[in-house]
């Protein structure tokens, strides 16, 4: 980005619902350039934090029908007059070469819906930067007045943890498993799910989808109740994105869960814990960057880490040497 | 601790197998005093990193028979001439008032076994310090020549993640669940398990234990295969710590798993990843402590966090202000 518009002006246009301004704002928060970062902070400051969307994290491995689900689910919501933004978190896209939402045409109708906004994930980002970029993009969509922000991710583990830290609800989309076939659910992702949706409950796969759903419902019952769950949650249910059934029931459940959490105060608690977490994380990452930008300290860290990896120094000892160097003491 | 022995002398005695020296060394690494920390770093430096034990993480909620299991399992190992150290991680002990291993008499025979060393968890520690304290205590036990270090924890989540980052194997101990009764397994802990042992497979509970074991074996099959697992792992099996059966089979499985990981190079990979992780964590924690020890920056952080929590500032904006203050720029 060579020329940035004035942050106050851009903020005003984003809040007024200007989609091109929103896209421009997201490009700004995604940028790795130092001057863009200054402008991004000014933009976020000008946007404020008074508007809230329902943030839904959506995870599912390739092949479960995620694009079809987002298209059907999104169109159902826009059909009710809701404004829907879709963002993608895909730390692997730089490697695999293909972003989840890279091919917007897979969501052809939703992409052309004036009530929807779809943002493909950028092709090149470091994992550390993905969290901040996505979180700030969510904040921009909220400021732009969207009712629902869908944050989509690929089911590889680390990105789910990140998305769960910025979502109000977490939905896991699965495909029916055949017979003894293993389901590719990464351990730990089930931990985060508020709702498990077994997709493709249509045609020949319908009975398989119901068996898979029952299996997961059983697995969920084996896990401990969380304080953020009302009765019967987390739950597993079948949907068909293709035939568009089960989507209204899933949306009812999401709203029920969101309302219950709002009524009990858990919603606010979680949001406060999330902003507190990200504030501390940002400060910590900034500190580490400060350290890494100092060549002498960087040298100390590289030397110390090499000694840790060669087995010559215990991690505590090596860390103590680096910190001593930082304080200007002899290591 | 008012007087510290010379680190080199203490290190020599620990390496020679002097149990009182080992206990003194652990007290030293547990201490929060700045001068003790200097001595602890000197001790770790003198001890070196050339000896390796098999580190087994063991998790189980109160009531699953963990003390009985450790007693029976530990005595079986010492009976084979192995030296066994038992350490406890219990970040909740300060609150609950009761350490897991506080009552050594529950492991009366093992506590008096000359081949065993049992270290109760200290009564007061901050969570942040628990990881380093335990990891350094493990390093001391390895330097003291123990063959097996059991790292015991209580099944509350955060401490398991920590233990998994310092163990070679992770064992989850469960009790039989009756009928529809829910098992108190925290989501995410199953993610870490290499071996699930359903204890109390004796007397009236035997058939219940077998059903519970089958349930968990089924749940494990629903989760994705990890690269660190040979065929048939992770697995669930029944044991009776009371009647001492199943323990030899469990130990066979642990050895099989450990040998497989050694042969495939995964053992070394995991250990390198662990020390690299702890080195970076220690440096980061040290940086945050440096920040927190500067009153002006501390003020900036408190002010910024209050604005985050009151909804006035986005986390990125507040963090940017703190970091700008740190760099001596205007916030």
């Amino acid at each position: 980005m060579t020329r940035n518009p004035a942050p106050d002006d851009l903020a005003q246009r984003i809040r007024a619902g200007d989609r091109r301004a929103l896209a421009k704002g997201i490009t700004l928060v995604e940028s790795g350039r130092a001057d863009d970062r200054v402008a991004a902070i000014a933009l976020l400051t000008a946007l404020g934090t008074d508007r809230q969307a329902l943030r839904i994290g959506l995870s599912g491995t390739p092949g479960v029908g995620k694009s079809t689900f987002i298209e059907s689910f999104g169109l159902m919501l826009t059909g009710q007059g809701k404004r829907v933004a879709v963002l993608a978190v895909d730390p692997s896209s730089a490697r695999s070469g293909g972003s989840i939402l890279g091919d917007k045409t897979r969501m052809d109708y939703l992409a052309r819906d004036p009530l929807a906004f779809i943002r493909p994930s950028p092709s090149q980002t470091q994992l550390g930067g993905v969290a901040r970029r996505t979180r700030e993009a969510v904040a921009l969509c909220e400021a732009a007045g969207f009712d629902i922000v869908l944050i989509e991710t690929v089911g590889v583990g680390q990105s789910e943890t990140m998305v769960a830290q910025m979502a109000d609800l977490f939905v896991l989309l699965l495909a029916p498993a055949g017979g003894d076939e293993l389901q590719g659910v990464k351990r730990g992702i089930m931990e985060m799910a508020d709702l498990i949706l077994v997709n493709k409950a249509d045609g020949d796969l319908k009975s398989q989808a119901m068996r898979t759903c029952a299996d997961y419902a059983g697995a969920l019952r084996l896990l401990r109740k969380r304080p953020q769950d009302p009765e019967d949650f987390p739950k597993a249910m079948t949907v068909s994105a293709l035939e568009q059934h089960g989507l209204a029931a899933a949306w009812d459940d999401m709203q029920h869960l969101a309302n219950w959490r709002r009524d009990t105060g858990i919603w606010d608690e979680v949001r406060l814990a999330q902003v507190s977490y990200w504030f501390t994380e940002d400060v910590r990452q900034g500190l580490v960057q400060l350290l890494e930008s100092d060549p002498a300290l960087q040298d100390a860290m590289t030397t110390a880490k090499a000694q840790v990896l060669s087995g010559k120094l215990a991690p505590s000892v090596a860390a103590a040497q680096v910190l001593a160097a930082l304080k200007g003491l002899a290591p």
Side-chain angles (χ1 to χ4, degrees), chain A:
Chain A
M1 180 165 305
T2 46
R3 229 166 10 135
N4 289 323
D8 286 351
D9 176 52
L10 189 58
Q12 206 172 4
R13 282 158 56 206
I14 289 172
R15 288 184 63 95
D18 178 339
R19 300 152 62 94
R20 290 186 60 186
L22 175 60
K24 210 173 177 68
I26 294 180
T27 303
L28 189 63
V29 301
E30 280 172 359
S31 167
R33 288 178 44 162
D35 55 340
D36 284 344
R37 188 83 275 228
V38 172
I41 293 296
L43 172 64
L44 287 161
T45 309
L47 282 172
T49 57
D50 57 314
R51 290 184 177 163
Q52 264 193 4
L54 174 63
R55 304 173 180 176
I56 304 173
L58 177 72
S59 172
T61 46
V64 301
K66 206 153 25 128
S67 302
T68 314
F69 176 82
I70 294 173
E71 169 108 327
S72 294
F73 189 68
L75 287 171
M76 180 189 77
L77 295 173
T78 58
Q80 295 171 14
K82 303 253 187 298
R83 296 184 65 206
V84 179
V86 184
L87 302 171
V89 177
D90 183 9
S92 66
S93 65
R95 262 173 301 153
S96 70
S99 152
I100 325 171
L101 289 171
D103 187 9
K104 267 199 190 183
T105 56
R106 289 184 301 166
M107 293 180 228
D108 202 24
Y109 291 99
L110 191 63
R112 283 182 286 159
D113 190 319
L115 288 175
F117 176 84
I118 299 182
R119 178 74 179 194
S121 63
S123 54
Q124 294 265 349
T125 34
Q126 313 148 281
L127 185 58
V130 171
R132 190 176 67 189
R133 170 184 68 71
T134 308
R135 185 164 41 88
E136 292 178 348
V138 170
L140 262 55
C141 291
E142 288 195 306
F146 283 92
D147 300 300
I148 291 129
V149 180
L150 270 173
I151 313 159
E152 180 193 5
T153 183
V154 279
V156 292
Q158 205 168 354
S159 59
E160 269 67 22
T161 311
M162 193 191 297
V163 168
Q165 277 288 356
M166 58 181 82
D168 302 308
L169 308 179
F170 196 86
V171 177
L172 177 60
L173 197 68
L174 296 173
D180 278 342
E181 185 194 325
L182 301 187
Q183 276 281 70
V185 178
K186 177 111 179 152
R187 298 139 195 279
I189 290 183
M190 265 179 69
E191 166 182 10
M192 302 166 202
D194 294 312
L195 204 58
I196 289 182
L197 301 179
V198 182
N199 191 23
K200 305 190 182 180
D202 43 49
D204 290 347
L205 289 172
K206 191 163 185 175
S207 60
Q208 263 183 38
M210 290 173 74
R211 278 198 301 273
T212 302
C213 182
D215 285 350
Y216 278 95
L220 286 175
R221 274 195 298 274
L222 286 171
L223 298 170
R224 182 151 61 183
K225 200 86 187 155
R226 304 172 303 181
Q228 68 268 39
D229 293 324
E231 210 172 326
D232 298 329
F233 279 86
K235 64 162 74 169
M237 56 197 296
T238 57
V239 296
S240 165
L242 195 68
E243 297 183 351
Q244 288 146 46
H245 72 71
L247 301 178
W251 175 234
D252 281 349
D253 276 336
M254 292 181 210
Q255 286 178 292
H256 170 71
L257 186 55
N259 289 333
W260 184 86
R261 288 187 182 162
R262 281 195 191 97
D263 292 345
T264 53
I266 286 170
W267 174 286
D268 285 337
E269 269 174 40
V270 169
R271 284 235 171 177
L272 280 181
Q274 287 176 343
V275 291
S276 178
Y277 173 84
W278 290 117
F279 168 68
T280 307
E281 273 301 296
D282 274 10
V283 172
R284 285 188 180 170
Q285 284 206 6
L287 283 172
V288 173
Q289 276 170 9
L290 276 183
L291 178 76
E292 288 176 354
S293 66
D294 181 315
L297 288 167
Q298 190 48 37
D299 280 355
M301 209 158 159
T302 306
T303 308
K305 193 162 188 172
Q307 290 185 289
V308 168
L309 292 178
S310 67
K312 286 196 193 103
L313 286 184
S316 316
V317 176
Q321 287 185 0
V322 170
L323 292 164
L326 184 67
K327 281 186 280 193
L329 305 173

